Amino acid sequence: MEHAAAAGHGHGAEDHVAEFEKARLGMWLFLASEIMMFGAFIAAYVVLWTSAPVQVEGGPTTAFDKHHLSWKIACFNTAVLILSSFTMVKSVHAISKGNRGKCEDYMIATAALGALFLCVKGYEYALKFGDNIGPDTNVFYGCYFLMTGFHGIHVLVGVILLIWCAFYVKRFDQHHYAPVENLALYWHFVDLVWIFLFPIVYLL
Amino acid sequence: MSDAAAQDHSAHDHSKTYVNVLLALAVLTFVTVAISRYHFGRVGNIGVGLAIATVKASLVVMFFMHLKYEQRWWAGIVLFPLLLVMIIIGSNLPDTALNGKSHGGDMLLDPEPSIKHAGKAGPAH
């Protein structure tokens, strides 16, 4: 990884690299717990989904009727999150080269894309509530609001952290940027969750 | 990562890799949507959809999250919880998706719900 270029720079550089590795390892362990949490949601969804009768076109409404969902809105949001993952990795790349300006620019772009995702998600929720669809409509929408809601909260936390990190970007350089790296890991994880939610919830 | 791997990795500029991964993710998203328009059967659609999602996730984990350049055992941190999730899902399938087998139905095509609670919009029982 780019941060390893710190090795061999000045006194205590090896200790610094070891500390950086520990920070990343800690973040990966945290993400493992997040995998379990979202994994439990998805497992519950799959169990309920595979237990429910198949929704037939023109047939009676089932517990997994999701005709009101818009895959086009979700597809747009997928593109937004994928693009935000790219800007995030570019931000890490920039700070690993010591370029604070570019790091900050890419970080703000990531936060803006995250905010756009939330706005679109809010619009989607508003459409559902406008059609009197809520978490208690049927089993599917209970799962839908739970999974996308928790994911949305993670995006919101990520956007707040990105703005905070962009504000303090002057504290980081090519040898000290563990918070940027860990924030990037978190943000990519949020993207990962959506990569699975999009086909499972909207397409299949 | 090891020092040797770190120095080897840091010697490369990954900008082109990141662009390639972005393009691959965009193409795979398009393929996911396009394929969902076709019907390969319930099992086929689920399998293809999840397979593409897994490829996309692997690209993000390996290249954007740099797991490819970390120590190999770190992959276990990701794979172990995924294995547990698979066990949770798999252990329930005999009672849900696969229960059609017990009375001659096709896997995942059994129209009879095994859980007969369905909220407001569910079938009346």
Side-chain angles (χ1 to χ4, degrees), chain B:
Chain B
M1 87 184 74
S2 69
D3 287 348
Q7 284 164 9
D8 177 57
H9 177 60
S10 61
H12 293 86
D13 186 347
H14 293 275
S15 296
K16 198 175 175 184
T17 304
Y18 297 147
V19 173
N20 288 338
V21 171
L22 175 67
L23 291 175
L25 291 172
V27 169
L28 287 171
T29 300
F30 176 79
V31 170
T32 305
V33 174
I35 280 184
S36 71
R37 305 290 102 188
Y38 295 92
H39 294 285
F40 304 112
R42 205 176 180 192
V43 179
N45 277 61
I46 292 170
V48 171
L50 290 184
I52 295 173
T54 304
V55 172
K56 287 168 71 181
S58 301
L59 287 172
V60 172
V61 170
M62 298 302 275
F63 296 102
F64 281 179
M65 298 174 84
H66 302 133
L67 191 61
K68 180 178 167 66
Y69 310 106
E70 301 287 6
Q71 295 177 49
R72 278 189 181 178
W73 72 268
W74 285 29
I77 299 172
V78 178
L79 294 176
F80 184 65
L82 282 178
L83 174 68
L84 293 178
V85 171
M86 290 297 112
I87 290 172
I88 293 170
I89 294 174
S91 62
N92 278 289
L93 287 182
D95 198 32
T96 56
L98 302 176
N99 66 350
K101 290 270 186 189
S102 61
H103 44 91
D106 291 325
M107 186 173 70
L108 290 169
L109 289 175
D110 182 6
E112 283 296 315
S114 55
I115 299 176
K116 298 182 193 276
H117 60 81
K120 285 181 184 174
H125 287 293

Side-chain angles (χ1 to χ4, degrees), chain A residues 143-161:
Chain A
C143 296
Y144 163 82
F145 281 105
L146 178 75
M147 294 194 293
T148 60
F150 262 84
H151 178 263
I153 290 169
H154 278 73
V155 175
L156 178 63
V157 170
V159 169
I160 292 168
L161 291 174

Side-chain angles (χ1 to χ4, degrees), chain A residues 1 4 21 24 50-51 61 93, chain B residues 1 9 66 70-71 96 113 121:
Chain A
M1 193 173 301
E21 192 166 296
R24 294 199 314 280
T50 53
S51 303
T61 305
H93 185 71
Chain B
M1 87 184 74
H9 177 60
H66 302 133
E70 301 287 6
Q71 295 177 49
T96 56

Side-chain angles (χ1 to χ4, degrees), chain A residues 1-187:
Chain A
M1 193 173 301
E2 287 102 347
H3 53 66
H9 289 270
H11 182 68
E14 285 182 9
D15 287 346
H16 167 64
V17 171
E19 287 297 317
F20 203 164
E21 192 166 296
K22 280 181 194 168
R24 294 199 314 280
L25 182 57
M27 192 65 196
W28 276 104
L29 290 170
F30 166 70
L31 294 182
S33 72
E34 290 276 79
I35 290 173
M36 287 306 296
M37 189 185 76
F38 279 102
F41 290 157
I42 291 173
Y45 177 83
V46 170
V47 168
L48 292 166
W49 177 34
T50 53
S51 303
V54 177
Q55 179 71 48
V56 180
E57 193 75 26
T61 305
T62 71
F64 264 69
D65 174 29
K66 50 180 174 180
H67 281 122
H68 287 83
L69 273 192
S70 168
W71 66 268
K72 290 176 184 171
I73 292 176
C75 190
F76 176 78
N77 256 353
T78 304
V80 168
L81 267 197
I82 287 173
L83 190 58
S84 76
S85 255
F86 176 73
T87 55
M88 190 69 241
V89 80
K90 292 290 285 182
S91 179
V92 175
H93 185 71
I95 197 67
S96 74
K97 303 293 179 193
N99 192 335
R100 287 197 189 108
K102 268 193 172 181
C103 172
E104 187 177 5
D105 291 347
Y106 279 120
M107 210 176 278
I108 290 169
T110 308
L113 288 166
L116 175 61
F117 176 92
L118 288 173
C119 288
V120 173
K121 181 53 69 184
Y123 170 70
E124 194 183 345
Y125 277 11
L127 287 179
K128 298 285 163 295
F129 292 133
D131 290 338
N132 287 323
I133 294 173
D136 62 343
T137 298
N138 62 22
V139 175
F140 169 76
Y141 279 107
C143 296
Y144 163 82
F145 281 105
L146 178 75
M147 294 194 293
T148 60
F150 262 84
H151 178 263
I153 290 169
H154 278 73
V155 175
L156 178 63
V157 170
V159 169
I160 292 168
L161 291 174
L162 280 164
I163 293 168
W164 173 83
C165 216
F167 190 74
Y168 287 108
V169 76
K170 59 184 176 296
R171 294 185 179 184
F172 309 123
D173 58 35
Q174 65 264 47
H175 307 310
H176 304 86
Y177 62 95
V180 181
E181 174 80 22
N182 279 350
L183 180 53
L185 287 175
Y186 174 84
W187 191 259

